[in-house]
């Protein structure tokens, strides 16, 4: 039995969380520095701009996870878990600072009527941040945040083909910081963020691969939200990349997210896809 996926263009619903309590309150990745705090007012307006680009310009539905004090990274909803139909595979965060988000996420999804799948506690798993679909294959990143064995459990829970890939550069600690599926055959990526073998695996998976330069990679160009042929991406990427995307028929919607880059995240981390798959299973 397999789950048939709707085309990416049908993914029209996201979960976001307003940055009411967002701050750089600890250092758990190479981007975060307590000495470099986020400007709260600017963060709110940047987030709002992203929200309006999605809801007003691109007309996608956005649901809101209620903000909560004491969990400043809750805004990065991509890490809440992985949604498939009406199932949430809940994250098991690596860092204790983010583990406090787990019960909040679980309560929200339970209330919304989702089935919650928890992976064994000994395996870390950071949700869609480390798990992205390329066609029917779920590519899962491991090493810095998610553990390789979590992938087997996810494959079983989803009844899907899962391809684990190893991350190799601490700056790109989640898969979605260096890898972005654009459609079933096309990906955007920063090859050096992967180990040699995983690079090969990815090359075998996606026919068309747009490699970003290191300069674009550190601007989080790969951390983009793709809706059909529209791409919402951190502002300020190179003309070379802009051209490569437009040549392939993609339209770019740049959004400035500087305050979130300070926490090691950009556009994609701030959303979690909901309801992209039909809940009905077909054989
Ligand atoms: N400060 C957050 C962390 O280190 C950023 C999370 C970014 N999320 C992502 N999906 N890449 O956990």
């Amino acid at each position: 039995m397999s789950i048939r996926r709707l085309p990416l263009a049908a993914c029209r619903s996201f979960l976001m969380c307003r940055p009411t309590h967002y701050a750089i309150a600890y250092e758990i990745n190479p981007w975060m520095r307590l000495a470099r705090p986020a400007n709260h007012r600017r963060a709110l307006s940047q987030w709002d701009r992203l929200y309006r680009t999605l809801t007003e310009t691109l007309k996608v539905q956005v649901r809101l996870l209620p903000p909560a004090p004491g969990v400043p990274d809750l805004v990065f909803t991509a890490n809440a878990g992985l949604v498939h139909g009406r199932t949430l595979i809940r994250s098991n965060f690596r860092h204790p600072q983010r583990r406090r988000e787990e019960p909040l996420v679980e309560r929200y999804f339970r209330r919304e009527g989702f089935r919650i799948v928890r992976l064994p506690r000994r395996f870390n798993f950071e949700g869609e941040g480390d798990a992205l679909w390329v066609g029917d294959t779920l590519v899962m990143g491991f090493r810095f945040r998610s553990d390789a064995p979590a992938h087997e459990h996810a494959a079983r829970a989803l009844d899907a083909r899962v391809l684990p890939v190893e991350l190799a550069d601490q700056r790109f600690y989640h898969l979605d910081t260096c890898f972005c599926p654009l459609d079933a055959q096309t990906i955007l990526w920063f090859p050096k963020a992967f180990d040699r073998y995983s690079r090969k695996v990815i090359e075998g998976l996606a026919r068309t691969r747009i490699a970003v330069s290191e300069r674009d990679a550190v601007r989080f160009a790969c951390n983009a939200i793709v809706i059909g042929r529209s791409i919402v991406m951190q502002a300020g990427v190179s003309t070379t990349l802009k051209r490569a995307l437009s040549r392939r028929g993609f339209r770019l919607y740049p959004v400035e997210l500087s305050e979130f880059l300070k926490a090691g995240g950009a556009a994609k981390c701030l959303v979690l896809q909901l309801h992209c798959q039909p809940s009905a299973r077909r054989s």
Side-chain angles (χ1 to χ4, degrees):
M1 197 156 59
S2 71
I3 300 173
R4 278 274 292 279
R5 290 180 43 73
L6 290 176
L8 270 182
C11 292
R12 297 251 167 211
S13 181
F14 294 105
L15 181 72
M16 291 178 73
C17 174
R18 205 173 282 285
T20 316
H21 303 281
Y22 170 67
I24 310 291
Y26 42 77
E27 299 177 350
I28 56 168
N29 69 49
W31 306 92
M32 301 177 90
R33 275 193 277 126
L34 289 169
R36 194 172 58 147
N39 177 307
H40 197 246
R41 199 177 38 84
R42 213 178 297 142
L44 283 168
S45 83
Q46 292 179 346
W47 184 93
D48 215 56
R49 182 72 194 282
L50 175 65
Y51 178 79
R52 280 187 290 114
T53 302
L54 293 172
T55 54
E56 291 168 20
T57 314
L58 296 171
K59 310 260 180 261
V60 298
Q61 204 189 66
V62 174
R63 318 219 35 168
L64 292 172
L65 176 70
V71 277
D73 275 338
L74 191 65
V75 291
F76 296 110
T77 50
N79 298 127
L82 179 68
V83 173
H84 199 73
R86 299 294 291 166
T87 297
L88 170 81
I89 304 187
R90 202 208 65 183
S91 286
N92 282 344
F93 281 98
R94 175 168 303 266
H95 296 287
Q97 293 94 329
R98 293 205 69 184
R99 274 188 209 147
R100 296 195 288 257
E101 298 173 32
E102 292 167 6
L104 301 174
V105 166
E106 194 167 320
R107 192 180 327 137
Y108 171 83
F109 278 93
R110 209 177 281 290
R111 280 199 189 139
E112 294 291 312
F114 282 75
R115 179 174 77 103
I116 313 283
V117 173
R118 288 193 201 152
L119 304 181
R121 181 78 261 183
R122 62 187 182 281
F123 302 129
N124 297 313
F125 170 63
E126 298 206 352
E128 199 175 78
D130 269 330
L132 296 165
W133 293 97
V134 177
D136 281 333
T137 304
L138 186 65
V139 180
M140 293 184 82
F142 68 91
R143 183 166 164 188
F144 300 114
R145 294 300 184 85
S146 300
D147 293 325
H151 304 136
E152 271 172 49
H153 290 270
R156 224 171 298 137
L158 300 176
D159 188 22
R161 183 160 96 107
V162 175
L163 211 61
V165 291
E166 182 167 354
L167 301 171
D169 181 332
Q170 285 200 52
R171 293 172 301 169
F172 306 101
Y173 56 95
H174 278 139
L175 180 68
D176 70 359
T177 61
C178 51
F179 183 85
C180 177
L182 299 180
D183 61 31
Q185 286 91 34
T186 316
I187 59 151
L188 187 68
W189 68 325
F190 180 53
K192 280 202 201 140
F194 296 88
D195 83 325
R196 274 244 302 280
Y197 178 72
S198 299
R199 238 177 274 167
K200 280 235 168 60
V201 168
I202 292 170
E203 283 162 2
L205 177 73
R207 211 175 335 126
T208 312
R209 301 172 301 275
I210 306 175
V212 306
S213 64
E214 175 140 7
R215 190 187 155 271
D216 283 334
V218 298
R219 284 221 45 94
F220 278 76
C222 296
N223 198 251
I225 306 170
V226 183
I227 299 153
R229 304 307 275 184
S230 305
I231 304 181
V232 183
M233 188 185 280
Q234 163 63 26
V237 300
S238 68
T239 317
T240 316
L241 177 56
K242 286 186 201 156
R243 285 212 192 105
L245 293 170
S246 87
R247 218 179 307 127
R248 286 176 178 85
F250 291 98
R251 177 150 180 210
L252 212 57
Y253 294 82
V255 180
E256 180 55 70
L257 293 163
S258 61
E259 298 317 300
F260 298 95
L261 295 187
K262 293 174 180 171
K268 172 64 199 72
C269 311
L270 292 166
V271 306
L272 174 70
Q273 290 201 15
L274 299 171
H275 309 305
C276 293
Q277 302 83 22
S279 43
R281 290 182 150 224
R282 306 180 214 166
S283 9

